[in-house]
């Protein structure tokens, strides 16, 4: 009920805004009475004001707004709405309102001046003022009044149109296309009209309308004062709505920009105006949609590779060199593989295997990430990680071993998929690598190359022969031993020298003893 009442208020606000023409006339009449002292005209003037400028004008305004009001009411009630007719009416509402206000102004002036409301002695006026002057004066006053009403209605309707467009956009995502209007010519025409009408009124009061104004109880000076007051009143009311129609769409746009800057890439600005600001809002929404798509792609990309790799790839893509030469780094490389996963997966459906691996990788990735490493890729049930690749980490060997201990702890206490125990074999080696993007023009992977990575992979596989879960090369062990405050945190077991398949020289290997879990 509250939403329905709020939606109905748009109709009321538009009707009230159009009836604001009565305010202009009240100001005109009040100024006339104050200057001339003819207070007896107030009763009849107010009567015509209420009958024509409020009632007749209000009825016409309600009819003009009916397609929009019906669409809002249907949308609020969840019923099918005739949006095309409503959007067409909103697109031209300010023009229809201008025409209607001009016509109402002519009717009001015909009734007021035709009945002699503002004449002190109508019969004397008929005798003293030539007929052609009286007819011309009637046409002129009617045109001047109607023009002031029309200019007011133009901007008042624009203001209400912007409010309704924003309401439709925010509540039902009704989108409008920007129009072709221009702010400069629109304002120039309005101020030109007001200036010309005011200047012409003053010139006529100084020449042809001296007797007409005298019959209204006004001297020439008083008539000029009334002309100035009338024009200033209309200008002030118009400027009020002009400022709103210009500044409010900018406020909408600024609010959407603020949300975008805070990471809300779903934010859009309503296209409320039909001028350059509306076109700017349209372009902003187009840009925001591109940013949202890019952010969606980035988040999807991060599900497959590290956030740091994503940022590096985007940076190189922005620089136009996605396959820049690799960088030589001294890193610690880790390979992880699940023991006997092939036999385990033989008894599971493919969907169960995928679910089990996802659960496993979620648990295993966390220690690597928390210790500053990045996961470079997955191969079946194995993963390839590295430390000190994208960000400088002088304790990369220590962090890699801490990650290995955390992974061993997690795999021992966790039932993956709810019931499965999966032990992990880990190989760690430190040495020089070349890190960088590798691939074709349409597909690139960030990886590392070099003997260090090959040896880490060999150590992971060698766990089968040594009966261990973690194998660490002497190079990594020496780096940890030289790091201050780290040697006593880990229990190393010397496994002696071992031959490595594919290598000519043997290397010294270590494993990790049972120690408290390192966070």
């Amino acid at each position: 009920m509250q939403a329905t009442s709020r939606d109905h208020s748009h109709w009321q606000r538009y009707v009230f805004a159009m009836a604001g023409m009565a305010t202009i006339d009240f100001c005109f009449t009040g100024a006339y009475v104050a200057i001339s002292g003819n207070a007896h005209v107030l009763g009849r003037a107010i009567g015509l004001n209420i009958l024509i400028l409020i009632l007749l004008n209000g009825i016409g305004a309600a009819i003009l707004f009916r397609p929009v009001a019906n669409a809002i009411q249907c949308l609020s009630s969840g019923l099918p709405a005739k949006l095309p007719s409503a959007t067409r009416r909103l697109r031209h509402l300010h023009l229809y309102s201008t025409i209607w206000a001009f016509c109402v102004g002519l009717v009001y002036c015909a009734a007021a001046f035709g009945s002699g409301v503002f004449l002190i002695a109508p019969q004397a006026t008929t005798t003293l003022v030539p007929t052609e002057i009286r007819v011309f004066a009637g046409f002129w006053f009617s045109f001047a009044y109607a023009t002031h009403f029309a200019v007011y209605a133009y901007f008042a309707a624009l203001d209400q149109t912007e409010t309704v467009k924003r309401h439709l956009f925010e509540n039902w995502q009704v989108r409008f296309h920007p129009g072709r209007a221009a702010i400069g010519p629109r304002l120039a025409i309005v101020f030109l009209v007001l200036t010309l009408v005011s200047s012409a009124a003053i010139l006529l009061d100084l020449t042809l309308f001296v007797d007409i104004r005298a019959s209204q109880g006004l001297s020439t000076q008083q008539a000029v004062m009334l002309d100035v007051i009338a024009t200033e009143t209309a200008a002030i009311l118009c400027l009020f709505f002009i400022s709103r129609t210009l500044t409010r769409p900018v406020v909408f746009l600024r609010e959407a920009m603020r949300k975008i800057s805070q990471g809300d890439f779903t934010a859009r600005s309503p296209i409320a105006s039909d001028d350059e600001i509306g076109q700017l809002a349209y372009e902003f929404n187009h840009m925001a949609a591109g940013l949202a798509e890019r952010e969606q792609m980035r988040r999807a990309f991060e599900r497959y590779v590290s956030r740091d790799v994503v940022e590096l790839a985007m940076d190189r893509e922005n620089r136009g060199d996605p396959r820049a030469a690799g960088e030589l780094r001294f890193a610690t490389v880790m390979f992880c593989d699940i023991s006997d996963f092939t036999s385990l997966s033989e008894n599971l459906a493919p969907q169960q295997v995928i679910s089990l691996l996802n659960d496993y990788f979620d648990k295993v990735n966390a220690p690597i990430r928390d210790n500053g490493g990045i996961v470079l890729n997955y191969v079946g049930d194995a993963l390839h990680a590295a430390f000190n690749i994208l960000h400088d980490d002088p304790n990369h060997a220590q962090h890699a071993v801490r990650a290995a201990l955390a992974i061993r702890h997690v795999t021992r206490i966790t039932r993956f998929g709810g019931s499965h125990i999966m032990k992990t074999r880990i190989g760690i080696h430190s040495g020089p690598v070349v890190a960088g993007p590798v691939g074709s023009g349409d597909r690139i992977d960030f990886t590392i190359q070099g003997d260090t990575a090959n040896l880490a992979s060999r150590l992971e596989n060698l766990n089968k022969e040594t009966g261990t879960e973690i194998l660490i090369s002497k190079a990594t062990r020496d780096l940890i031993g030289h790091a201050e405050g780290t040697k006593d945190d880990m229990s190393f077991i010397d496994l002696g020298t071992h031959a490595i398949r594919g290598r000519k020289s043997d290397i010294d290997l270590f494993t990790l003893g049972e120690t408290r879990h390192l966070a």
Side-chain angles (χ1 to χ4, degrees), residues 177-471:
H177 292 285
R180 298 181 179 179
I183 298 175
R186 174 180 285 171
L187 295 180
I189 291 174
V190 170
F191 286 110
L192 183 63
V193 169
L194 289 177
T195 301
L196 290 178
V197 170
S198 176
S199 301
I202 293 173
L203 289 175
L204 290 172
D205 284 339
L206 291 174
T207 55
L208 295 179
F209 294 165
V210 174
D211 293 335
I212 292 290
R213 288 305 196 182
S215 67
Q216 294 176 339
L218 296 171
S219 66
T220 301
Q221 293 82 354
Q222 290 174 328
V224 172
M225 290 176 57
L226 185 61
D227 293 334
V228 173
I229 291 173
T231 301
E232 293 298 325
T233 300
I236 289 172
L237 290 174
C238 290
L239 285 174
F240 169 75
F241 288 112
I242 289 172
S243 63
R244 282 168 58 91
T245 57
L246 292 180
T247 59
R248 191 162 50 179
V250 175
V251 172
F252 300 161
L253 185 59
R254 185 179 62 187
E255 178 65 17
M257 292 177 65
R258 184 186 64 82
K259 292 180 179 179
I260 290 287
S261 66
Q262 294 177 349
D264 181 8
F265 294 98
T266 63
R268 299 292 184 273
S269 174
I271 303 175
S273 58
D274 61 349
D275 48 32
E276 292 93 339
I277 300 179
Q279 297 167 11
L280 180 62
Y282 176 82
E283 294 298 333
F284 171 82
N285 290 342
H286 183 71
M287 179 198 70
L291 290 175
E293 182 180 3
R294 179 175 178 177
E295 177 66 11
Q296 185 178 13
M297 292 176 63
R298 185 185 67 82
R299 291 180 179 178
F301 195 19
E302 285 178 0
R303 296 189 181 100
Y304 299 93
V305 295
S306 164
R307 178 189 295 268
D308 294 327
V309 174
V310 173
E311 293 177 354
L312 176 65
M314 294 180 69
D315 177 65
R316 293 192 173 183
E317 192 70 33
N318 290 335
R319 286 186 286 148
D321 192 13
R323 291 188 294 172
E327 180 183 3
L328 180 63
R329 306 280 294 189
F330 193 91
T332 297
V333 182
M334 171 191 290
F335 273 86
C336 298
D337 198 0
I338 302 174
S339 300
D340 298 323
F341 184 75
T342 302
S343 59
L344 174 64
S345 61
E346 288 177 352
N347 300 319
L348 300 175
Q351 295 85 348
Q352 292 176 301
V353 174
I354 295 299
S355 177
L356 193 63
L357 284 176
N358 286 336
D359 188 21
Y360 168 79
F361 285 132
D362 280 340
K363 301 292 193 306
V364 171
N365 281 7
I368 297 174
R369 182 178 61 251
D370 294 342
N371 283 278
I374 62 169
V375 176
L376 296 173
N377 53 52
Y378 303 96
V379 181
D381 59 316
L383 67 82
H384 181 197
F387 298 76
N388 197 38
I389 291 296
L390 298 179
H391 303 290
D392 292 335
D393 180 8
N395 296 323
H396 53 90
Q398 172 199 354
H399 290 150
V401 173
R402 286 182 177 274
L405 284 171
I407 292 172
R408 186 176 70 176
H409 176 74
V410 167
T411 55
R412 285 180 176 180
I413 67 172
T414 303
R415 297 296 183 267
F416 297 97
S419 60
H420 299 282
I421 299 176
M422 294 193 295
K423 292 184 178 181
T424 301
R425 299 189 304 269
I426 302 174
I428 301 175
H429 177 54
S430 302
V433 299
V434 177
V438 175
S440 62
D442 58 354
R443 176 173 173 80
I444 298 174
D445 288 328
F446 185 88
T447 187
I448 60 175
Q449 302 291 333
D451 184 64
T452 300
N454 295 332
L455 182 54
S457 177
R458 295 277 195 267
L459 294 185
E460 176 272 310
N461 191 60
L462 190 61
N463 279 288
K464 299 177 184 178
E465 300 178 14
T466 58
T468 55
E469 294 179 77
I470 303 173
L471 278 181

Side-chain angles (χ1 to χ4, degrees), residues 18 64 110-111 141 249 253 324 338 350 470 482:
M18 289 294 290
L64 285 176
F141 289 136
L253 185 59
I338 302 174
I470 303 173
H482 291 112

